[in-house]
Amino acid sequence: MAKTDENKNYKVIAENRRARFDYAIEDDLECGIILEGSEVKSLREGGANIAESYAAVDEHELWLINSYVAPYAQAKTFGHEEKRRRKLLVSKREMARLWNDTQRKGMTLVPLVLYFNHRGIAKLKIGIAKGKKNHDKRETEAKRDWSRQKQRLLKEHR
């Protein structure tokens, strides 16, 4: 079976590109997300934003807060609320670990990527992160600039 046939359903819907700049991602976790029908249709069209959202453990449940899913035009009466809290699905062991990291260690749960997996099911990748200070951000930017400059130099000398 060809590789394109294997991943034909895989599609990135929304990506939080700023998260890796603002946070030091120590670990990541894939979790399911509970959606309404019109939300799934809207996600298939690519109408989502997770840039300003975050995840939080509340009453032994994991929630995605402040994420935006665009309204679906054909769902007139049975539409969805655009910025509602959405429940995330993780195992009890993972939930305990997330609670421990956020409450005791002071970490933050940052959504990294919202996507459809190879089976066509909506998934969210969450990063367990610690906020970066300004000097850490400058250091990251300097490393990135140097790697770009190094690539240019290598390309010119070939």
Side-chain angles (χ1 to χ4, degrees):
M1 182 152 69
K3 206 167 204 164
T4 55
D5 293 339
E6 186 179 321
N7 294 329
K8 65 180 177 189
N9 290 330
Y10 183 82
K11 178 184 175 190
V12 174
I13 304 162
E15 189 173 6
N16 189 356
R17 300 176 83 187
R18 184 119 180 121
R20 296 199 189 275
F21 180 75
D22 289 337
Y23 298 96
I25 310 292
E26 295 190 6
D27 195 15
D28 60 356
L29 171 71
E30 181 185 73
C31 56
I33 182 167
I34 296 180
L35 299 169
E36 295 175 359
S38 60
E39 289 175 327
V40 176
K41 299 256 187 180
S42 179
L43 290 179
R44 293 229 180 262
E45 291 180 347
N49 187 1
I50 57 170
E52 291 108 30
S53 63
Y54 62 97
V57 178
D58 184 28
E59 306 254 339
H60 305 293
E61 292 179 338
L62 185 62
W63 295 91
L64 179 63
I65 301 167
N66 202 27
S67 64
Y68 173 79
V69 176
Y72 185 61
Q74 283 80 10
K76 305 243 187 271
T77 24
F78 299 107
H80 62 272
E81 193 177 325
E82 296 168 14
K83 284 205 168 202
R84 71 177 182 90
R85 289 173 44 153
R86 292 169 178 87
K87 188 174 178 181
L88 300 175
L89 305 171
V90 291
S91 68
K92 286 183 181 179
R93 180 182 291 146
E94 292 293 341
M95 180 66 67
R97 192 187 87 179
L98 292 174
W99 185 87
N100 185 30
D101 288 345
T102 56
Q103 300 299 318
R104 293 188 182 158
K105 296 181 184 175
M107 308 288 262
T108 306
L109 301 176
V110 181
L112 300 174
V113 182
L114 180 63
Y115 62 95
F116 287 109
N117 68 1
H118 66 282
R119 291 175 47 205
I121 298 171
K123 299 285 184 178
L124 180 73
K125 186 175 278 193
I126 299 176
I128 302 166
K130 188 164 255 174
K132 284 185 182 177
K133 305 282 190 235
N134 280 339
H135 61 86
D136 293 332
K137 291 179 186 178
R138 284 192 294 269
E139 184 180 314
T140 304
E141 197 169 336
K143 283 181 184 175
R144 188 179 330 120
D145 288 345
W146 169 240
S147 67
R148 283 183 189 154
Q149 189 176 5
K150 196 166 44 173
Q151 291 296 327
R152 285 188 198 119
L153 288 172
L154 288 172
K155 194 174 184 181
E156 288 174 5
H157 289 295
R158 287 188 181 185

